[in-house]
Amino acid sequence: MSAARQAPKQKSEQPFHYPLERVYSEPDWTRLPGYRAVTRAEWEDATWQRKNTVKTLAELKEALGAFLTDALAEDMARDIRERATMSMLITPHMMDERNLYEDPLRRYMLPAFTDRRTDWPSHPKASRDSLHEAEMWKVEGLTHRYPTKVLAEMLSTCPQYCGHCTRMDLVGNSVPQVKKLKFAVAQKDRHQQMLDYLRATPSVRDVVVSGGDIANMPIQQLEPFVSTLLDLPNIKDVRLASKGLMGIPQHFLQDEVLSGLDRLAKKAFSRGVNLSLHTHVNHANQVTPLLGKAAGTLLSMGFRDVRNQGVLLRGVNDSQKALLDLCFMLQDHARVLPYYFYMCDMIPNSEHWRTSVGEAEKLQHDIMGYLPGFATPRIVCDVPYVGKRWVHQVAEYDREKGISYWTKNYRTGIEENDPEAMTRRYEYYDPIYHLPESGQRWWREEIAKGAA
């Protein structure tokens, strides 16, 4: 036998390694200059968290001290003046203060001007309400896009603001680049109009109660609205949407909030309704024991599930390792089900975050087989006038021009009298800078012609 045949075979490495090396622990907030004197009791108090959430660059400097360099502070200040679509609102204790420029949480929560593209900062087809949700309002704040599901936007504020927010047209405070729209109808009347519409529309069985963020809605207002939903015979699924479960889990651990949610969970179970909570976590650093405690408490009450709907963001979670790290942290420790990752929507100044459909398809391929099937998230493209589509459902794809074409099998709430709604092809657009030069040239020519 030859020496070559006798040699032991080399063991090949897996592309992704499990178990994770990442530690599941609450970040030590006292490592940051602005939080060194903060006690655990204060940190775990929701009122303290809301009062001390960072709202300005000056407050961020106070929290981070010398970790926030003058260069980065000015970079962020320029972004606030010239590019930002959302105002600042964050507790920065989960960021990596040792390398803030590259930190994934800073990149999407506190963008700097140099993060963004200068060649193509916005896609020519970008719009403030990129999913046309307001066009599909049946009453103010109630979007009826899918045949059996509606979205109820209860309020227009959140406990933390993401730079990529798809509802940047309405949510949060006005910024130099965006004068926010406002609800015109009083909140109590809006909520009643939503309930009246649902009562009169038995084809709706599923309600997403969102915003903004329901963590900013007093439980004394949230509970009666959801309780009334549970009384409607046609409603079989209710999903509460809150990034706050991650951003301010302290809110969901308050006695009054827990009591209200517990009553809702028991009522939902007795009525045969699935009550779940959907949160929004984009990076493994955000999966902490307080998040896990809040999620576990909801599950112990009888919530059907706690699920994560993240957003696929370049430089944050757009690699196999980053996405699987996040999914395993959610699944293994926090008991939060990885559910969806949406491609970043086509809002203004978002090109540096967005990925192409082709990149999303590859990433979906690369994460398959590691997680249980029920916990393997679907990567979806939220196509304007269509809705969410798995990235492999694309009907046709022009990779040179970065235009993908999609079809659908239902009419949205504004297409009841449109005979071509289900035969039309709907377009979605890749970031232009990611295209070959021939594709970029085509877009420049289209813009010059005024056709884009």
Side-chain angles (χ1 to χ4, degrees), residues 60 64 68 72 75-76 79 90 92 94-96 99-116 163 286 316 352-353:
L60 185 64
L64 296 178
L68 179 61
L72 178 54
D75 201 356
M76 294 170 63
D79 194 75
I90 185 175
M94 297 181 208
M95 293 191 294
D96 183 357
N99 188 4
L100 284 172
Y101 255 112
E102 300 302 321
D103 179 69
L105 304 189
R106 199 279 309 158
R107 286 180 64 85
Y108 91 86
M109 297 291 290
L110 301 171
F113 185 86
T114 55
D115 293 337
R116 304 193 193 252
Q286 296 172 307
V316 177
H352 66 295
W353 282 312

PDB file of all heavy atoms in Angstrom, residues 60 64 68 72 75-76 79 90 92 94-96 99-116 163 286 316 352-353:
ATOM      1  N   LEU A  60     -25.120  61.330  24.520  1.00  0.00           N
ATOM      2  CA  LEU A  60     -24.323  60.172  24.119  1.00  0.00           C
ATOM      3  C   LEU A  60     -22.878  60.341  24.572  1.00  0.00           C
ATOM      4  O   LEU A  60     -22.245  59.391  25.051  1.00  0.00           O
ATOM      5  CB  LEU A  60     -24.383  60.001  22.606  1.00  0.00           C
ATOM      6  CG  LEU A  60     -23.682  58.759  22.044  1.00  0.00           C
ATOM      7  CD1 LEU A  60     -24.361  57.486  22.538  1.00  0.00           C
ATOM      8  CD2 LEU A  60     -23.658  58.793  20.518  1.00  0.00           C
ATOM      9  N   LEU A  64     -20.819  57.786  26.930  1.00  0.00           N
ATOM     10  CA  LEU A  64     -19.668  57.046  26.412  1.00  0.00           C
ATOM     11  C   LEU A  64     -18.326  57.671  26.760  1.00  0.00           C
ATOM     12  O   LEU A  64     -17.288  57.018  26.642  1.00  0.00           O
ATOM     13  CB  LEU A  64     -19.781  56.916  24.896  1.00  0.00           C
ATOM     14  CG  LEU A  64     -20.972  56.103  24.371  1.00  0.00           C
ATOM     15  CD1 LEU A  64     -20.983  56.105  22.846  1.00  0.00           C
ATOM     16  CD2 LEU A  64     -20.940  54.675  24.897  1.00  0.00           C
ATOM     17  N   LEU A  68     -16.398  57.911  22.678  1.00  0.00           N
ATOM     18  CA  LEU A  68     -16.963  58.620  21.532  1.00  0.00           C
ATOM     19  C   LEU A  68     -15.989  59.717  21.139  1.00  0.00           C
ATOM     20  O   LEU A  68     -15.910  60.770  21.768  1.00  0.00           O
ATOM     21  CB  LEU A  68     -18.328  59.221  21.885  1.00  0.00           C
ATOM     22  CG  LEU A  68     -19.011  60.019  20.763  1.00  0.00           C
ATOM     23  CD1 LEU A  68     -19.288  59.131  19.552  1.00  0.00           C
ATOM     24  CD2 LEU A  68     -20.305  60.664  21.264  1.00  0.00           C
ATOM     25  N   LEU A  72     -15.846  60.898  15.404  1.00  0.00           N
ATOM     26  CA  LEU A  72     -17.100  60.164  15.220  1.00  0.00           C
ATOM     27  C   LEU A  72     -18.293  61.032  15.604  1.00  0.00           C
ATOM     28  O   LEU A  72     -19.332  61.009  14.933  1.00  0.00           O
ATOM     29  CB  LEU A  72     -17.087  58.875  16.047  1.00  0.00           C
ATOM     30  CG  LEU A  72     -18.359  58.021  15.979  1.00  0.00           C
ATOM     31  CD1 LEU A  72     -18.733  57.705  14.532  1.00  0.00           C
ATOM     32  CD2 LEU A  72     -18.193  56.744  16.797  1.00  0.00           C
ATOM     33  N   ASP A  75     -18.975  63.239  12.783  1.00  0.00           N
ATOM     34  CA  ASP A  75     -19.503  62.421  11.694  1.00  0.00           C
ATOM     35  C   ASP A  75     -20.998  62.166  11.911  1.00  0.00           C
ATOM     36  O   ASP A  75     -21.817  62.254  10.985  1.00  0.00           O
ATOM     37  CB  ASP A  75     -18.721  61.105  11.647  1.00  0.00           C
ATOM     38  CG  ASP A  75     -18.804  60.408  10.297  1.00  0.00           C
ATOM     39  OD1 ASP A  75     -19.532  60.894   9.416  1.00  0.00           O
ATOM     40  OD2 ASP A  75     -18.129  59.372  10.144  1.00  0.00           O
ATOM     41  N   MET A  76     -21.356  61.865  13.140  1.00  0.00           N
ATOM     42  CA  MET A  76     -22.758  61.626  13.464  1.00  0.00           C
ATOM     43  C   MET A  76     -23.565  62.923  13.411  1.00  0.00           C
ATOM     44  O   MET A  76     -24.734  62.930  12.972  1.00  0.00           O
ATOM     45  CB  MET A  76     -22.867  60.970  14.841  1.00  0.00           C
ATOM     46  CG  MET A  76     -22.279  59.565  14.881  1.00  0.00           C
ATOM     47  SD  MET A  76     -22.140  58.904  16.558  1.00  0.00           S
ATOM     48  CE  MET A  76     -23.849  58.854  17.029  1.00  0.00           C
ATOM     49  N   ASP A  79     -24.465  63.595   9.934  1.00  0.00           N
ATOM     50  CA  ASP A  79     -25.531  62.704   9.492  1.00  0.00           C
ATOM     51  C   ASP A  79     -26.886  63.213   9.970  1.00  0.00           C
ATOM     52  O   ASP A  79     -27.870  63.188   9.223  1.00  0.00           O
ATOM     53  CB  ASP A  79     -25.291  61.288  10.012  1.00  0.00           C
ATOM     54  CG  ASP A  79     -26.170  60.274   9.318  1.00  0.00           C
ATOM     55  OD1 ASP A  79     -25.876  59.942   8.152  1.00  0.00           O
ATOM     56  OD2 ASP A  79     -27.167  59.834   9.928  1.00  0.00           O
ATOM     57  N   ILE A  90     -31.759  55.881  22.285  1.00  0.00           N
ATOM     58  CA  ILE A  90     -31.081  54.604  22.496  1.00  0.00           C
ATOM     59  C   ILE A  90     -30.447  54.559  23.872  1.00  0.00           C
ATOM     60  O   ILE A  90     -30.043  55.587  24.430  1.00  0.00           O
ATOM     61  CB  ILE A  90     -29.978  54.391  21.426  1.00  0.00           C
ATOM     62  CG1 ILE A  90     -29.339  53.008  21.543  1.00  0.00           C
ATOM     63  CG2 ILE A  90     -28.923  55.488  21.501  1.00  0.00           C
ATOM     64  CD1 ILE A  90     -28.332  52.686  20.446  1.00  0.00           C
ATOM     65  N   PRO A  92     -27.100  52.931  25.104  1.00  0.00           N
ATOM     66  CA  PRO A  92     -25.957  52.410  24.324  1.00  0.00           C
ATOM     67  C   PRO A  92     -25.164  51.284  24.989  1.00  0.00           C
ATOM     68  O   PRO A  92     -24.082  50.949  24.518  1.00  0.00           O
ATOM     69  CB  PRO A  92     -25.079  53.653  24.162  1.00  0.00           C
ATOM     70  CG  PRO A  92     -25.338  54.455  25.390  1.00  0.00           C
ATOM     71  CD  PRO A  92     -26.792  54.225  25.739  1.00  0.00           C
ATOM     72  N   MET A  94     -25.223  48.117  24.952  1.00  0.00           N
ATOM     73  CA  MET A  94     -24.923  46.902  24.200  1.00  0.00           C
ATOM     74  C   MET A  94     -23.897  47.123  23.102  1.00  0.00           C
ATOM     75  O   MET A  94     -23.485  46.185  22.439  1.00  0.00           O
ATOM     76  CB  MET A  94     -26.207  46.341  23.580  1.00  0.00           C
ATOM     77  CG  MET A  94     -27.251  45.905  24.588  1.00  0.00           C
ATOM     78  SD  MET A  94     -28.699  45.240  23.743  1.00  0.00           S
ATOM     79  CE  MET A  94     -29.981  45.596  24.931  1.00  0.00           C
ATOM     80  N   MET A  95     -23.483  48.376  22.869  1.00  0.00           N
ATOM     81  CA  MET A  95     -22.521  48.652  21.809  1.00  0.00           C
ATOM     82  C   MET A  95     -21.102  48.303  22.257  1.00  0.00           C
ATOM     83  O   MET A  95     -20.805  48.259  23.450  1.00  0.00           O
ATOM     84  CB  MET A  95     -22.596  50.126  21.410  1.00  0.00           C
ATOM     85  CG  MET A  95     -23.907  50.514  20.743  1.00  0.00           C
ATOM     86  SD  MET A  95     -23.861  52.148  20.012  1.00  0.00           S
ATOM     87  CE  MET A  95     -23.698  53.160  21.454  1.00  0.00           C
ATOM     88  N   ASP A  96     -20.246  48.041  21.275  1.00  0.00           N
ATOM     89  CA  ASP A  96     -18.828  47.787  21.544  1.00  0.00           C
ATOM     90  C   ASP A  96     -18.103  49.129  21.530  1.00  0.00           C
ATOM     91  O   ASP A  96     -17.736  49.643  20.470  1.00  0.00           O
ATOM     92  CB  ASP A  96     -18.246  46.851  20.492  1.00  0.00           C
ATOM     93  CG  ASP A  96     -16.783  46.507  20.774  1.00  0.00           C
ATOM     94  OD1 ASP A  96     -16.218  47.033  21.752  1.00  0.00           O
ATOM     95  OD2 ASP A  96     -16.213  45.719  19.994  1.00  0.00           O
ATOM     96  N   ASN A  99     -14.669  49.923  19.623  1.00  0.00           N
ATOM     97  CA  ASN A  99     -14.556  50.156  18.186  1.00  0.00           C
ATOM     98  C   ASN A  99     -15.915  50.615  17.659  1.00  0.00           C
ATOM     99  O   ASN A  99     -16.594  49.900  16.927  1.00  0.00           O
ATOM    100  CB  ASN A  99     -14.091  48.888  17.465  1.00  0.00           C
ATOM    101  CG  ASN A  99     -13.778  49.131  15.998  1.00  0.00           C
ATOM    102  OD1 ASN A  99     -13.830  50.264  15.519  1.00  0.00           O
ATOM    103  ND2 ASN A  99     -13.465  48.073  15.277  1.00  0.00           N
ATOM    104  N   LEU A 100     -16.288  51.807  18.040  1.00  0.00           N
ATOM    105  CA  LEU A 100     -17.627  52.290  17.731  1.00  0.00           C
ATOM    106  C   LEU A 100     -17.870  52.442  16.233  1.00  0.00           C
ATOM    107  O   LEU A 100     -18.994  52.245  15.760  1.00  0.00           O
ATOM    108  CB  LEU A 100     -17.879  53.627  18.439  1.00  0.00           C
ATOM    109  CG  LEU A 100     -18.166  53.539  19.938  1.00  0.00           C
ATOM    110  CD1 LEU A 100     -18.211  54.927  20.551  1.00  0.00           C
ATOM    111  CD2 LEU A 100     -19.473  52.804  20.185  1.00  0.00           C
ATOM    112  N   TYR A 101     -16.841  52.792  15.489  1.00  0.00           N
ATOM    113  CA  TYR A 101     -17.051  52.968  14.049  1.00  0.00           C
ATOM    114  C   TYR A 101     -17.558  51.678  13.403  1.00  0.00           C
ATOM    115  O   TYR A 101     -18.413  51.697  12.524  1.00  0.00           O
ATOM    116  CB  TYR A 101     -15.766  53.430  13.363  1.00  0.00           C
ATOM    117  CG  TYR A 101     -15.783  54.888  12.992  1.00  0.00           C
ATOM    118  CD1 TYR A 101     -14.950  55.803  13.631  1.00  0.00           C
ATOM    119  CD2 TYR A 101     -16.647  55.382  12.019  1.00  0.00           C
ATOM    120  CE1 TYR A 101     -14.969  57.160  13.304  1.00  0.00           C
ATOM    121  CE2 TYR A 101     -16.672  56.728  11.681  1.00  0.00           C
ATOM    122  CZ  TYR A 101     -15.833  57.608  12.330  1.00  0.00           C
ATOM    123  OH  TYR A 101     -15.859  58.945  11.998  1.00  0.00           O
ATOM    124  N   GLU A 102     -17.021  50.546  13.853  1.00  0.00           N
ATOM    125  CA  GLU A 102     -17.384  49.267  13.246  1.00  0.00           C
ATOM    126  C   GLU A 102     -18.485  48.541  13.991  1.00  0.00           C
ATOM    127  O   GLU A 102     -18.978  47.509  13.507  1.00  0.00           O
ATOM    128  CB  GLU A 102     -16.146  48.355  13.163  1.00  0.00           C
ATOM    129  CG  GLU A 102     -15.014  48.922  12.327  1.00  0.00           C
ATOM    130  CD  GLU A 102     -15.449  49.217  10.895  1.00  0.00           C
ATOM    131  OE1 GLU A 102     -16.227  48.412  10.337  1.00  0.00           O
ATOM    132  OE2 GLU A 102     -15.031  50.255  10.347  1.00  0.00           O
ATOM    133  N   ASP A 103     -18.901  49.042  15.134  1.00  0.00           N
ATOM    134  CA  ASP A 103     -19.887  48.335  15.938  1.00  0.00           C
ATOM    135  C   ASP A 103     -21.206  48.196  15.186  1.00  0.00           C
ATOM    136  O   ASP A 103     -21.766  49.180  14.707  1.00  0.00           O
ATOM    137  CB  ASP A 103     -20.130  49.085  17.246  1.00  0.00           C
ATOM    138  CG  ASP A 103     -21.177  48.383  18.096  1.00  0.00           C
ATOM    139  OD1 ASP A 103     -20.885  47.289  18.593  1.00  0.00           O
ATOM    140  OD2 ASP A 103     -22.293  48.925  18.216  1.00  0.00           O
ATOM    141  N   PRO A 104     -21.744  46.965  15.070  1.00  0.00           N
ATOM    142  CA  PRO A 104     -22.969  46.775  14.277  1.00  0.00           C
ATOM    143  C   PRO A 104     -24.183  47.491  14.851  1.00  0.00           C
ATOM    144  O   PRO A 104     -25.041  47.959  14.092  1.00  0.00           O
ATOM    145  CB  PRO A 104     -23.154  45.256  14.273  1.00  0.00           C
ATOM    146  CG  PRO A 104     -22.342  44.761  15.429  1.00  0.00           C
ATOM    147  CD  PRO A 104     -21.193  45.695  15.567  1.00  0.00           C
ATOM    148  N   LEU A 105     -24.279  47.602  16.170  1.00  0.00           N
ATOM    149  CA  LEU A 105     -25.440  48.275  16.759  1.00  0.00           C
ATOM    150  C   LEU A 105     -25.358  49.775  16.513  1.00  0.00           C
ATOM    151  O   LEU A 105     -26.364  50.427  16.196  1.00  0.00           O
ATOM    152  CB  LEU A 105     -25.536  47.977  18.253  1.00  0.00           C
ATOM    153  CG  LEU A 105     -25.585  46.498  18.630  1.00  0.00           C
ATOM    154  CD1 LEU A 105     -25.898  46.345  20.110  1.00  0.00           C
ATOM    155  CD2 LEU A 105     -26.604  45.756  17.790  1.00  0.00           C
ATOM    156  N   ARG A 106     -24.171  50.330  16.665  1.00  0.00           N
ATOM    157  CA  ARG A 106     -24.007  51.757  16.351  1.00  0.00           C
ATOM    158  C   ARG A 106     -24.340  52.018  14.890  1.00  0.00           C
ATOM    159  O   ARG A 106     -24.994  53.005  14.554  1.00  0.00           O
ATOM    160  CB  ARG A 106     -22.547  52.154  16.659  1.00  0.00           C
ATOM    161  CG  ARG A 106     -22.282  53.655  16.826  1.00  0.00           C
ATOM    162  CD  ARG A 106     -22.129  54.407  15.538  1.00  0.00           C
ATOM    163  NE  ARG A 106     -21.180  53.825  14.590  1.00  0.00           N
ATOM    164  CZ  ARG A 106     -21.211  54.072  13.300  1.00  0.00           C
ATOM    165  NH1 ARG A 106     -22.134  54.870  12.773  1.00  0.00           N
ATOM    166  NH2 ARG A 106     -20.332  53.512  12.497  1.00  0.00           N
ATOM    167  N   ARG A 107     -23.965  51.098  14.007  1.00  0.00           N
ATOM    168  CA  ARG A 107     -24.150  51.310  12.578  1.00  0.00           C
ATOM    169  C   ARG A 107     -25.626  51.437  12.199  1.00  0.00           C
ATOM    170  O   ARG A 107     -25.964  52.138  11.256  1.00  0.00           O
ATOM    171  CB  ARG A 107     -23.503  50.169  11.781  1.00  0.00           C
ATOM    172  CG  ARG A 107     -21.985  50.235  11.748  1.00  0.00           C
ATOM    173  CD  ARG A 107     -21.414  49.076  10.949  1.00  0.00           C
ATOM    174  NE  ARG A 107     -21.824  49.139   9.548  1.00  0.00           N
ATOM    175  CZ  ARG A 107     -21.193  49.848   8.620  1.00  0.00           C
ATOM    176  NH1 ARG A 107     -20.120  50.557   8.940  1.00  0.00           N
ATOM    177  NH2 ARG A 107     -21.610  49.843   7.368  1.00  0.00           N
ATOM    178  N   TYR A 108     -26.494  50.721  12.909  1.00  0.00           N
ATOM    179  CA  TYR A 108     -27.897  50.838  12.498  1.00  0.00           C
ATOM    180  C   TYR A 108     -28.740  51.679  13.441  1.00  0.00           C
ATOM    181  O   TYR A 108     -29.785  52.198  13.045  1.00  0.00           O
ATOM    182  CB  TYR A 108     -28.521  49.452  12.257  1.00  0.00           C
ATOM    183  CG  TYR A 108     -29.203  48.762  13.418  1.00  0.00           C
ATOM    184  CD1 TYR A 108     -30.543  49.020  13.701  1.00  0.00           C
ATOM    185  CD2 TYR A 108     -28.555  47.793  14.176  1.00  0.00           C
ATOM    186  CE1 TYR A 108     -31.200  48.351  14.726  1.00  0.00           C
ATOM    187  CE2 TYR A 108     -29.203  47.122  15.189  1.00  0.00           C
ATOM    188  CZ  TYR A 108     -30.525  47.401  15.470  1.00  0.00           C
ATOM    189  OH  TYR A 108     -31.175  46.740  16.480  1.00  0.00           O
ATOM    190  N   MET A 109     -28.279  51.870  14.682  1.00  0.00           N
ATOM    191  CA  MET A 109     -29.041  52.706  15.613  1.00  0.00           C
ATOM    192  C   MET A 109     -28.574  54.158  15.610  1.00  0.00           C
ATOM    193  O   MET A 109     -29.379  55.076  15.799  1.00  0.00           O
ATOM    194  CB  MET A 109     -28.909  52.141  17.034  1.00  0.00           C
ATOM    195  CG  MET A 109     -29.483  50.752  17.223  1.00  0.00           C
ATOM    196  SD  MET A 109     -31.277  50.687  17.124  1.00  0.00           S
ATOM    197  CE  MET A 109     -31.739  51.525  18.624  1.00  0.00           C
ATOM    198  N   LEU A 110     -27.283  54.379  15.395  1.00  0.00           N
ATOM    199  CA  LEU A 110     -26.700  55.716  15.455  1.00  0.00           C
ATOM    200  C   LEU A 110     -25.818  55.938  14.229  1.00  0.00           C
ATOM    201  O   LEU A 110     -24.596  56.009  14.327  1.00  0.00           O
ATOM    202  CB  LEU A 110     -25.862  55.882  16.736  1.00  0.00           C
ATOM    203  CG  LEU A 110     -26.587  55.689  18.066  1.00  0.00           C
ATOM    204  CD1 LEU A 110     -25.582  55.665  19.215  1.00  0.00           C
ATOM    205  CD2 LEU A 110     -27.618  56.791  18.275  1.00  0.00           C
ATOM    206  N   PRO A 111     -26.405  56.047  13.057  1.00  0.00           N
ATOM    207  CA  PRO A 111     -25.583  56.128  11.840  1.00  0.00           C
ATOM    208  C   PRO A 111     -24.729  57.388  11.779  1.00  0.00           C
ATOM    209  O   PRO A 111     -25.099  58.447  12.296  1.00  0.00           O
ATOM    210  CB  PRO A 111     -26.621  56.114  10.716  1.00  0.00           C
ATOM    211  CG  PRO A 111     -27.902  56.530  11.359  1.00  0.00           C
ATOM    212  CD  PRO A 111     -27.836  56.052  12.764  1.00  0.00           C
ATOM    213  N   ALA A 112     -23.571  57.232  11.144  1.00  0.00           N
ATOM    214  CA  ALA A 112     -22.672  58.349  10.861  1.00  0.00           C
ATOM    215  C   ALA A 112     -22.718  58.650   9.364  1.00  0.00           C
ATOM    216  O   ALA A 112     -23.063  57.780   8.545  1.00  0.00           O
ATOM    217  CB  ALA A 112     -21.240  58.006  11.278  1.00  0.00           C
ATOM    218  N   PHE A 113     -22.364  59.865   9.010  1.00  0.00           N
ATOM    219  CA  PHE A 113     -22.434  60.279   7.606  1.00  0.00           C
ATOM    220  C   PHE A 113     -21.560  59.389   6.727  1.00  0.00           C
ATOM    221  O   PHE A 113     -21.947  59.024   5.618  1.00  0.00           O
ATOM    222  CB  PHE A 113     -22.001  61.745   7.471  1.00  0.00           C
ATOM    223  CG  PHE A 113     -22.159  62.294   6.084  1.00  0.00           C
ATOM    224  CD1 PHE A 113     -23.372  62.832   5.672  1.00  0.00           C
ATOM    225  CD2 PHE A 113     -21.104  62.273   5.173  1.00  0.00           C
ATOM    226  CE1 PHE A 113     -23.530  63.333   4.378  1.00  0.00           C
ATOM    227  CE2 PHE A 113     -21.258  62.769   3.889  1.00  0.00           C
ATOM    228  CZ  PHE A 113     -22.474  63.298   3.489  1.00  0.00           C
ATOM    229  N   THR A 114     -20.376  59.023   7.208  1.00  0.00           N
ATOM    230  CA  THR A 114     -19.471  58.220   6.387  1.00  0.00           C
ATOM    231  C   THR A 114     -19.907  56.761   6.283  1.00  0.00           C
ATOM    232  O   THR A 114     -19.325  56.003   5.500  1.00  0.00           O
ATOM    233  CB  THR A 114     -18.026  58.295   6.925  1.00  0.00           C
ATOM    234  OG1 THR A 114     -18.019  57.915   8.307  1.00  0.00           O
ATOM    235  CG2 THR A 114     -17.460  59.688   6.773  1.00  0.00           C
ATOM    236  N   ASP A 115     -20.919  56.352   7.054  1.00  0.00           N
ATOM    237  CA  ASP A 115     -21.489  55.020   6.855  1.00  0.00           C
ATOM    238  C   ASP A 115     -22.231  54.947   5.524  1.00  0.00           C
ATOM    239  O   ASP A 115     -22.290  53.902   4.889  1.00  0.00           O
ATOM    240  CB  ASP A 115     -22.513  54.682   7.949  1.00  0.00           C
ATOM    241  CG  ASP A 115     -21.921  54.535   9.328  1.00  0.00           C
ATOM    242  OD1 ASP A 115     -20.709  54.262   9.424  1.00  0.00           O
ATOM    243  OD2 ASP A 115     -22.671  54.699  10.307  1.00  0.00           O
ATOM    244  N   ARG A 116     -22.817  56.054   5.132  1.00  0.00           N
ATOM    245  CA  ARG A 116     -23.752  56.049   4.015  1.00  0.00           C
ATOM    246  C   ARG A 116     -23.012  56.176   2.680  1.00  0.00           C
ATOM    247  O   ARG A 116     -21.883  56.629   2.624  1.00  0.00           O
ATOM    248  CB  ARG A 116     -24.770  57.177   4.172  1.00  0.00           C
ATOM    249  CG  ARG A 116     -25.530  57.097   5.508  1.00  0.00           C
ATOM    250  CD  ARG A 116     -26.720  57.995   5.507  1.00  0.00           C
ATOM    251  NE  ARG A 116     -27.279  58.187   6.829  1.00  0.00           N
ATOM    252  CZ  ARG A 116     -28.421  57.671   7.273  1.00  0.00           C
ATOM    253  NH1 ARG A 116     -29.128  56.892   6.481  1.00  0.00           N
ATOM    254  NH2 ARG A 116     -28.859  57.933   8.500  1.00  0.00           N
ATOM    255  N   GLY A 163     -32.310  53.505  12.661  1.00  0.00           N
ATOM    256  CA  GLY A 163     -32.070  54.371  11.520  1.00  0.00           C
ATOM    257  C   GLY A 163     -32.788  53.922  10.266  1.00  0.00           C
ATOM    258  O   GLY A 163     -33.153  54.738   9.427  1.00  0.00           O
ATOM    259  N   GLN A 286     -27.535  41.903  21.239  1.00  0.00           N
ATOM    260  CA  GLN A 286     -28.755  42.410  21.857  1.00  0.00           C
ATOM    261  C   GLN A 286     -29.524  41.340  22.623  1.00  0.00           C
ATOM    262  O   GLN A 286     -30.537  41.655  23.257  1.00  0.00           O
ATOM    263  CB  GLN A 286     -29.648  43.026  20.774  1.00  0.00           C
ATOM    264  CG  GLN A 286     -29.030  44.249  20.107  1.00  0.00           C
ATOM    265  CD  GLN A 286     -29.840  44.729  18.922  1.00  0.00           C
ATOM    266  OE1 GLN A 286     -30.150  43.962  18.014  1.00  0.00           O
ATOM    267  NE2 GLN A 286     -30.199  46.001  18.922  1.00  0.00           N
ATOM    268  N   VAL A 316     -24.242  44.539   9.555  1.00  0.00           N
ATOM    269  CA  VAL A 316     -24.836  44.232  10.866  1.00  0.00           C
ATOM    270  C   VAL A 316     -25.050  42.729  11.014  1.00  0.00           C
ATOM    271  O   VAL A 316     -24.592  42.117  11.972  1.00  0.00           O
ATOM    272  CB  VAL A 316     -26.172  44.993  11.054  1.00  0.00           C
ATOM    273  CG1 VAL A 316     -26.827  44.629  12.390  1.00  0.00           C
ATOM    274  CG2 VAL A 316     -25.948  46.497  10.967  1.00  0.00           C
ATOM    275  N   HIS A 352     -26.843  52.077   1.883  1.00  0.00           N
ATOM    276  CA  HIS A 352     -25.680  51.429   2.503  1.00  0.00           C
ATOM    277  C   HIS A 352     -26.096  50.247   3.372  1.00  0.00           C
ATOM    278  O   HIS A 352     -25.270  49.385   3.684  1.00  0.00           O
ATOM    279  CB  HIS A 352     -24.898  52.445   3.340  1.00  0.00           C
ATOM    280  CG  HIS A 352     -25.640  52.947   4.533  1.00  0.00           C
ATOM    281  ND1 HIS A 352     -26.784  53.703   4.433  1.00  0.00           N
ATOM    282  CD2 HIS A 352     -25.402  52.795   5.857  1.00  0.00           C
ATOM    283  CE1 HIS A 352     -27.222  54.005   5.640  1.00  0.00           C
ATOM    284  NE2 HIS A 352     -26.400  53.464   6.520  1.00  0.00           N
ATOM    285  N   TRP A 353     -27.347  50.202   3.797  1.00  0.00           N
ATOM    286  CA  TRP A 353     -27.838  49.075   4.597  1.00  0.00           C
ATOM    287  C   TRP A 353     -28.377  47.944   3.725  1.00  0.00           C
ATOM    288  O   TRP A 353     -28.371  46.788   4.130  1.00  0.00           O
ATOM    289  CB  TRP A 353     -28.970  49.527   5.518  1.00  0.00           C
ATOM    290  CG  TRP A 353     -28.561  50.264   6.744  1.00  0.00           C
ATOM    291  CD1 TRP A 353     -27.586  49.912   7.644  1.00  0.00           C
ATOM    292  CD2 TRP A 353     -29.124  51.498   7.230  1.00  0.00           C
ATOM    293  NE1 TRP A 353     -27.513  50.844   8.648  1.00  0.00           N
ATOM    294  CE2 TRP A 353     -28.444  51.825   8.421  1.00  0.00           C
ATOM    295  CE3 TRP A 353     -30.126  52.344   6.763  1.00  0.00           C
ATOM    296  CZ2 TRP A 353     -28.746  52.964   9.156  1.00  0.00           C
ATOM    297  CZ3 TRP A 353     -30.433  53.474   7.495  1.00  0.00           C
ATOM    298  CH2 TRP A 353     -29.746  53.774   8.681  1.00  0.00           C
TER     299      TRP A 353
END
